Every structure is written in C-alpha cells, then in structure tokens.
Amino acid sequence: LKSNPSNNEEKEAQTQLTKSDELQRLHSQALSAYQQEDYEAAISILDEILAVCVWDAELRELRAECYIKEGEPSKAISDLKAAAKLKSDNTEAFYKISRIYYHLGDHELSLSEVRECLKLDQDHKQCFSLYKQVKKLNKQIESAEELIREGRYEDAISKYESVMKTEPEVPVYATRAKERICHCLSKNQQATGAIKVCTEVLQLEPTNVNALKDRAEAYLLEDLYEE
C-alpha cells in the first residue's frame, strides 16, 4: 500500500487485513477448543480457516489430531497426507499415517508409509520401532497365506497363532487370524475345531461372510444340515 497506493489495491488490502485478523481470532478459538477437548468444535473452526489457508500443514495436522480423537481415522489420513506433501521432511506425518493404517488392520499400507518416514530419516526412533513391528507381522501374514495356497493348513494355523502373539494389543489382527484359522480347520476337515473358532469370529463380527461360509462347510462335514 505504501509503495503504490491506489483505490482498488487499498480496498483489497484492507479486506485481506480484516480477513487475516478474523482468521487469527478463529485460530485462537480452535486451539482453545482443542485444549478443552471439544474436538467437534475445533474441527468446525479449522474447516473455516483451512477454506482460506489451504496450504497450512500445521493446521491440517491439528485437524487430523481432532479427527483421530473423534474416531474418524480416514479423514485424519487425508489431512496427514496433505501435510506430508506440504511440509518437506515431515516424518511425523508419515509416522502417524502408518500408525493409523496399522490400527485399522492394513499392515501393507502401514509398512509402505513407515518406509517413507525412514527414507527421510533412517534414525527416526519411533518409525524404526514401528517398521520392525509391522515388517515382522507382514512377513508372518504373507507366509501364512502362502501356506494356505499350498494346502499346508496345519502349518498355516501355527503361523497365524504366531501372528496373534506378535500383535496382542490391536484386536483386528487376532480377529483376522482367527478367521483364517477357522478357514484352515474347515479345509482340513477338522469340523469341531472349525465350528468353535468360526463361532468365536462371528461373535465379534456377526456379518463376517468368510467365517459364515467356513462354518457352513464344517457343519456339512458333521451332517448338521439345518445349521
């Protein structure tokens, strides 16, 4: 304005100044809502700011934290992926994305994201620790699936039991492992065991189609046609 005053530019500049003051006020409100654990309100305010400040990585990371607290991991991933692109060497964003995928049970995508973190910083302690865990789990699951394809059901069961020991904290992996054990037992014509394990899976996930099919096969082996 001082270097080149003209009516149009002055009007535009004043509008932008007013808008920036308003956005700073909203930013304070968003931080306050976050600190008071009112994540829904924080998201609503951050939506407003990010509509203008599209390229602000830190605001996206803050909104991602709110989405995580609100139990909306897929929205958090979307913001974190944007933050990883907007801020160079953003190891923290890759780490968080990897953790979210891991807890959702998507070990392959988790492994891919944690590798991106280690490409930026091979000495990143959190990423390296997560990488070791995911890599081990991923390898066990791949190995178990290979054994199933080869019809080596007893070995596959043993491998999936190892999966449950490797990750006892995240329930989705135990459920998936049991689902595959139920499949192996059914294919191996161990009907009683299959019915027991499939039923355990179906108590957790009543609409699990694979467990329903495998339990049906096991019931057929026992001539339990009504079931």
Side-chain angles (χ1 to χ4, degrees):
L1 270 175
K2 283 175 183 168
S3 67
N4 186 12
S6 76
N7 284 344
N8 279 351
E9 282 171 7
E10 184 170 4
K11 203 172 174 185
E12 171 67 11
Q14 291 297 351
T15 306
Q16 295 284 22
L17 267 175
T18 309
K19 189 184 275 185
S20 72
D21 287 343
E22 169 66 4
L23 290 171
Q24 280 189 313
R25 192 180 61 76
L26 286 172
H27 188 206
S28 299
Q29 282 182 5
L31 288 172
S32 172
Y34 177 77
Q35 282 153 6
Q36 288 165 21
E37 299 182 13
D38 187 353
Y39 303 116
E40 200 178 330
I43 290 167
S44 173
I45 299 164
L46 288 165
D47 287 348
E48 229 179 302
I49 307 172
L50 279 159
V52 182
C53 307
V54 185
W55 314 115
D56 193 314
E58 281 173 19
L59 288 176
R60 287 190 177 275
E61 285 174 18
L62 181 60
R63 189 169 66 176
E65 280 299 313
C66 295
Y67 281 136
I68 290 166
K69 302 283 190 189
E70 284 288 287
E72 297 193 70
S74 57
K75 288 183 178 176
I77 286 171
S78 172
D79 265 344
L80 287 167
K81 283 193 169 179
K85 285 192 180 122
L86 290 167
K87 196 159 79 180
S88 63
D89 295 352
N90 197 342
T91 51
E92 196 58 30
F94 285 116
Y95 172 68
K96 285 178 181 174
I97 296 166
S98 178
R99 269 182 64 83
I100 294 171
Y101 276 135
Y102 185 70
H103 283 268
L104 288 173
D106 200 328
H107 51 94
E108 287 168 337
L109 279 176
S110 174
L111 190 60
S112 161
E113 294 294 334
V114 81
R115 277 181 175 142
E116 291 300 318
C117 171
L118 290 171
K119 275 184 202 169
L120 294 171
D121 178 5
Q122 59 187 26
D123 298 322
H124 193 291
K125 281 185 181 174
Q126 287 175 306
C127 284
F128 187 64
S129 171
L130 181 61
Y131 171 71
K132 283 197 299 185
Q133 174 71 1
V134 186
K135 192 182 177 192
K136 183 180 178 184
L137 193 75
N138 198 53
K139 197 173 177 185
Q140 286 177 330
I141 292 170
E142 281 180 354
S143 170
E145 288 301 311
E146 184 60 35
L147 290 166
I148 290 173
R149 285 191 288 275
E150 291 169 6
R152 294 165 59 191
Y153 299 116
E154 288 292 340
D155 292 337
I157 289 167
S158 172
K159 190 61 75 175
Y160 266 118
E161 283 167 350
S162 299
V163 167
M164 289 193 276
K165 289 194 186 95
T166 298
E167 185 43 87
E169 303 295 323
V170 184
V172 65
Y173 294 108
T175 308
R176 288 291 155 270
K178 283 183 179 179
E179 180 195 307
R180 298 306 279 157
I181 289 169
C182 134
H183 175 73
C184 292
L185 289 166
S186 179
K187 286 284 184 193
N188 218 24
Q189 303 204 330
Q190 292 167 261
T192 312
I195 291 164
K196 178 178 174 291
V197 179
C198 294
T199 302
E200 283 175 23
V201 176
L202 289 161
Q203 280 165 349
L204 297 166
E205 296 180 351
T207 56
N208 187 313
V209 175
N210 294 327
L212 284 165
K213 288 195 296 185
D214 288 322
R215 189 170 68 173
E217 291 292 337
Y219 280 141
L220 284 174
L221 292 169
E222 294 285 279
D223 299 336
L224 295 166
Y225 301 119
E226 285 297 325
E227 284 86 338

